[in-house]
C-alpha cells in the first residue's frame, strides 16, 4: 500500500511478506517479492519501500539474500524474536 499525506512528509510504500517453510514455495515467494519491489521502485522511484513480516530466516541470511537484489534494502533491528 502506498501512503501519503497527513503526518507523512513523503509518500511511503508499505508491504507485508511471509516466507513459507517449504523450500520450493519459499523460493517462488521470494522471487515474486523481488519482482514486486523492482516494479514498485520503477513506479515510485523516490518513495521508501518498507517490507514487514516473517522471513523465517536469520538476519545474516536475510541480509545476504537482499544484497543480491538490484534495489538496495536495509534490515532494521526488530524487537522480539530475531528470526522474524
Amino acid at each position: 500500500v502506498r501512503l501519503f499525506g497527513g503526518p507523512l512528509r513523503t509518500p511511503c510504500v508499505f508491504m507485508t511478506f511471509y516466507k513459507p517453510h517449504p523450500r520450493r514455495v519459499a523460493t517462488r515467494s521470494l522471487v515474486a517479492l523481488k519482482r514486486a519491489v523492482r516494479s514498485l521502485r520503477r513506479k515510485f522511484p523516490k518513495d521508501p519501500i518498507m517490507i514487514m513480516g516473517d522471513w523465517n530466516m536469520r538476519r545474516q541470511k536475510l541480509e545476504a539474500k537482499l544484497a543480491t537484489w538490484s534495489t538496495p534494502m536495509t534490515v532494521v533491528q526488530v524487537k522480539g524474536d530475531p528470526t522474524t
Side-chain angles (χ1 to χ4, degrees), residues 17 19-20 23-35 37 51 55-75:
F17 179 70
K19 182 181 142 282
R23 185 180 191 114
R24 193 174 68 228
V25 177
T27 300
R28 285 194 308 257
S29 298
L30 285 168
V31 168
L33 177 65
K34 186 176 179 179
R35 286 181 184 148
V37 168
I51 307 169
W55 295 82
N56 283 315
M57 64 177 75
R58 298 206 181 277
R59 182 184 177 116
Q60 295 84 359
K61 188 173 180 181
L62 175 58
E63 288 173 340
K65 175 68 73 180
L66 295 176
T68 67
W69 292 17
S70 60
T71 302
M73 303 296 285
T74 301
V75 178

